[in-house]
Amino acid sequence: MFVKRMLKNQGKTLAASVILVILLTLGLTAGCSALRTDTLTPTAAPRQPFSARSESEDGAVVFWEGYTDGYQPGEGSSFEVQLKNNTEQPWKGRFCLQLLSPDSALVIQTLAQEEINLESGVGFSDELTVTMPETLDRGGYHLSMVVRRPSGPMVDMIPIQVGSTDAVLEDITQEDMDAALEACPPVEGAGQEVLVEQAVSDLSQRREVDLEEIEVKSVEATEFSDASLGVPEPGKSYAQVITPGYIIQLEIEGKTYRYHASQSRVVFVPEEGTPTAPSPTPTVEDEGAIEIPEAGSVTTLPLHIMAYVGEPGMEMKTVLRWEDGTELSQTFTTLESPEGEGLLMESLDWQTESTPPQPETDQATLILQTSSGEIVDEAPLTVLGADHPQTRLIDLYWLLGEELESEQRRVVDTGSVESTAVKELLWGPPPRNLAGFQTAIPTPEDVLGYPGRGEDWGSRVRMLGLTIEEGTARVNFSQEMRAYGGGSARVQSIRQQIIRTLAQFDSVDTIVIAVEGETEGVLQP
C-alpha cells in the first residue's frame, strides 16, 4: 500500500510537472518570437559566383572562380586560381589578375600577379585574397585573368559589379583584352627556349639529321629594322617598325646555320648572302599595280581584284576582255590604303539578270584604266566557265537578317577546296547581291577605318593558313580580323559563318579558329 500510494502521488506530481513545463515552453516561445521580431535584421542577398575554364590548343588549362557582385571599395575578396601544364614542354610564365574600367579599356590596378614554373604534367593552385582600391566608385567593371606562356598568352575576362549599383555590365571588347594583355608583361627570356627548339626542329628537317646532331652555338638578343626580321620575301610588304627578337646560331659537324626569330616566328637565313630590302608598294606609275589576281593565274567569276592605283577617291575602270572579244567591265572608286595611296579592292562579275555571255575561250586579260582611258596595268588570266570540269560548286554562308543563308559559288577545284572556301568568304557577298546578303567578317572598309588598327595592319582580313588533321580544321586569320569592334552578336555571326562554311566538307568535323596563331582570347564579345 505504501508503495502504491507513493507511485500514485508521484504520478500526480509528474502530471503537474509536465503541464508546468508545457506552459513555460509556450511562454518562452512566445517571448522569443516577440523578441526576434523586434531585433532581427534582414539577411544580405547571396552573391553570384562565377567559374571559368579555358584550355589552349596545346593543352594548357586555366581555371579561376570568384563572384560577379558584392565587391566593396577597400575590402578584400578571395579568388581560386588553378593552372595545369598538359603540354609536352615545361614552361616559365606569369599570371595576372586585373581590374579594368569598361569605359576606356584601361587597367585600373593589377590586383595580383605571380611568376610560375611548370614542368610538363604539373599543376598549380592558389587561393588569392585581394583588396579593391579604396577610391573605387560603385558601378560595373571587368576582371581579367591573363596567363603568359612561351607559346602564347591566354586571356579571360568577367564583368563584375562594385557596390550597390544598377549599372548594366558592359560587353567585353577586343580593346579590353588587348589592354589586359599589355598590362601583364611576359617573363623575360621565357619564349627564347621555344624559339630555339623551333629553329633546331626546322634545321633537322632541312638537313635530314637527328636533333641530337645539332648544337646550339649562341642565342643573341637583337632588334630587327622591320617585321621581316631581316629576311624579306620578294614581293611581300612588311611593317616598318623596330622588332625585338633573337639571332640563333646552330651548328652541324662544324658548319654554322643562322636563324632570326621574334615572338612565334622563326626564319631561316639563306646562305647565299644578304637579303634585299622589301619591295615598295606599287602605284600608278609602277609596273605590277595589280596584286590580285596574279598574272597567269587560273580563276573563275566573280574575279577578286586588289591593286594599288592612283589616289584615294579616283574612279578606276576594270575591264576583263576575253580573246574572242567578250568584255566585262565596271567602274569602281578607290579606297585610301594605309600608305595614303589609292587602293582598289573589289570583285567583278556579270550584273545582268538574264543568262550572261559565254566566252568561247578561257583566255582573258584584266585591264585597269583611268577615267581618261589611260591603261594603268594589265594581267593575263585563265577564266574558267561554269561548265569547266576543273571547277566545282561550294556553299558560302552569309547573314540574311539575323539568320545564316548559303550562296552557291563556282570555284577552281585546286585540291584544297577548304582553303578556297575560306578565302572566298573573306571577299564578302557576291557583287550581284540581289538577295541582300551581308557579312559579319570585317570588310576592307572596316579594317581601314577601325580606330584601334595598328601601324602594321594591312588593308583586309587574310587567311594565314589552314590545316586539317584527323577531322580537326585549324584556320588562322591575320590580325585585321580584330576590326570587328566587339559585340556578342557579331562575334557569334563571324564564328558561324566560318564554321558553317567549313563544316560542309567531309574532311572537317571540328573547327578551331585562330588569329595570328592565337586561339585563346580571340573573337571575344
Side-chain angles (χ1 to χ4, degrees):
M1 293 295 295
F2 174 77
V3 175
K4 288 182 179 180
R5 195 181 300 116
M6 186 171 68
L7 290 175
K8 185 177 180 180
N9 291 337
Q10 286 180 342
K12 292 180 180 179
T13 303
L14 180 60
S17 299
V18 170
I19 293 172
L20 180 61
V21 168
I22 292 173
L23 291 174
L24 288 172
T25 301
L26 291 173
L28 288 172
T29 302
C32 290
S33 299
L35 179 62
R36 186 176 298 117
T37 301
D38 293 338
T39 61
L40 189 63
T41 57
T43 58
R47 301 179 69 182
Q48 297 297 317
F50 78 84
S51 62
R53 184 185 186 276
S54 56
E55 183 172 353
S56 67
E57 187 176 343
D58 59 352
V61 178
V62 177
F63 173 85
W64 61 307
E65 60 182 1
Y67 294 93
T68 61
D69 58 5
Y71 297 99
Q72 298 295 334
E75 295 186 5
S77 296
S78 296
F79 298 88
E80 179 74 21
V81 178
Q82 297 177 18
L83 308 177
K84 184 68 179 293
N85 179 16
N86 288 334
T87 69
E88 297 179 356
Q89 301 293 331
W91 51 266
K92 178 182 180 182
R94 181 200 313 273
F95 75 82
C96 303
L97 178 64
Q98 303 158 325
L99 178 69
L100 289 87
S101 167
D103 299 327
S104 56
L106 175 68
V107 175
I108 299 173
Q109 183 173 313
T110 297
L111 302 173
Q113 66 172 314
E114 186 174 337
E115 290 190 12
I116 46 178
N117 288 278
L118 294 180
E119 296 293 328
S120 178
V122 174
F124 166 89
S125 179
D126 194 11
E127 183 174 343
L128 306 176
T129 300
V130 302
T131 302
M132 293 291 171
E134 292 187 2
T135 58
L136 202 61
D137 294 329
R138 66 182 183 180
Y141 295 86
H142 292 152
L143 279 177
S144 69
M145 172 60 67
V146 179
V147 178
R148 285 282 191 175
R149 306 179 305 129
S151 56
M154 300 172 68
V155 185
D156 197 10
M157 196 166 290
I158 299 292
I160 65 167
Q161 291 178 323
V162 175
S164 177
T165 177
D166 296 327
V168 177
L169 300 180
E170 300 288 340
D171 288 338
I172 296 169
T173 67
Q174 185 61 45
E175 291 182 347
D176 295 323
M177 310 290 279
D178 293 341
L181 190 60
E182 183 178 355
C184 185
V187 176
E188 186 175 354
Q192 176 180 314
E193 296 178 2
V194 174
L195 295 174
V196 172
E197 289 177 0
Q198 292 177 4
V200 170
S201 176
D202 180 83
L203 186 59
S204 171
Q205 297 177 25
R206 287 177 181 271
R207 294 296 175 260
E208 297 183 352
V209 299
D210 294 334
L211 297 175
E212 293 76 13
E213 298 180 46
I214 301 175
E215 181 181 355
V216 180
K217 297 297 293 183
S218 65
V219 181
E220 177 186 352
T222 188
E223 289 185 342
F224 300 103
S225 59
D226 58 38
S228 73
L229 307 186
V231 194
E233 297 179 22
K236 185 175 181 179
S237 299
Y238 296 88
Q240 301 302 300
V241 293
I242 299 298
T243 305
Y246 301 94
I247 297 175
I248 303 171
Q249 302 272 7
L250 305 179
E251 186 176 285
I252 301 176
E253 296 181 349
K255 185 172 183 179
T256 301
Y257 301 87
R258 179 167 169 160
Y259 283 82
H260 291 178
S262 177
Q263 296 182 354
S264 60
R265 290 182 60 214
V266 175
V267 183
F268 177 74
V269 180
E271 304 172 48
E272 295 82 76
T274 304
T276 57
S279 302
T281 302
T283 62
V284 170
E285 293 78 14
D286 295 325
E287 294 185 0
I290 300 174
E291 290 199 354
I292 298 175
E294 293 184 5
S297 61
V298 180
T299 184
T300 57
L301 296 179
L303 178 65
H304 307 306
I305 304 169
M306 176 179 175
Y308 290 90
V309 287
E311 302 293 332
M314 175 183 290
E315 288 192 350
M316 190 64 56
K317 185 178 181 180
T318 62
V319 180
L320 185 61
R321 184 177 296 138
W322 281 264
E323 285 186 349
D324 66 355
T326 304
E327 188 172 291
L328 166 62
S329 67
Q330 191 171 353
T331 299
F332 300 105
T333 302
T334 58
L335 304 172
E336 182 175 357
S337 74
E339 296 79 16
E341 299 171 317
L343 173 63
L344 181 64
M345 189 95 67
E346 295 288 351
S347 295
L348 181 65
D349 200 355
W350 300 107
Q351 299 295 312
T352 177
E353 294 186 12
S354 58
T355 302
Q358 302 295 320
E360 296 179 359
T361 176
D362 297 330
Q363 304 307 310
T365 301
L366 174 63
I367 305 168
L368 300 186
Q369 59 187 53
T370 64
S371 56
S372 62
E374 175 190 358
I375 294 179
V376 174
D377 198 9
E378 297 182 351
L381 302 170
T382 299
V383 183
L384 303 183
D387 58 350
H388 199 285
Q390 199 180 334
T391 65
R392 63 170 290 176
L393 288 172
I394 61 171
D395 290 326
L396 302 176
Y397 284 85
W398 312 109
L399 287 172
L400 192 59
E402 297 182 356
E403 302 296 328
L404 283 182
E405 297 289 345
S406 66
E407 171 226 347
Q408 280 203 326
R409 186 173 297 185
R410 186 165 293 276
V411 298
V412 178
D413 190 355
T414 62
S416 55
V417 67
E418 299 90 350
S419 294
T420 300
V422 174
K423 291 177 182 178
E424 287 291 320
L425 193 67
L426 296 181
W427 279 98
R432 185 171 173 268
N433 189 10
L434 298 180
F437 292 131
Q438 293 181 318
T439 181
I441 298 170
T443 64
E445 289 83 358
D446 292 332
V447 172
L448 293 169
Y450 183 56
R453 62 177 285 118
E455 294 182 357
D456 59 341
W457 279 30
S459 305
R460 66 188 185 100
V461 179
R462 295 171 294 116
M463 187 187 76
L464 301 182
L466 173 65
T467 61
I468 302 176
E469 296 180 0
E470 297 181 353
T472 298
R474 292 177 172 83
V475 56
N476 185 22
F477 295 100
S478 64
Q479 60 190 344
E480 291 80 14
M481 180 65 85
R482 300 189 176 107
Y484 66 87
S488 58
R490 184 168 185 180
V491 166
Q492 183 67 11
S493 296
I494 292 173
R495 287 186 171 276
Q496 287 303 309
Q497 280 188 254
I498 298 168
I499 290 170
R500 293 281 295 276
T501 297
L502 279 172
Q504 69 183 291
F505 302 110
D506 294 338
S507 59
V508 177
D509 298 320
T510 305
I511 295 98
V512 177
I513 299 174
V515 175
E516 295 289 340
E518 297 182 4
T519 57
E520 302 297 331
V522 301
L523 289 180
Q524 295 290 330

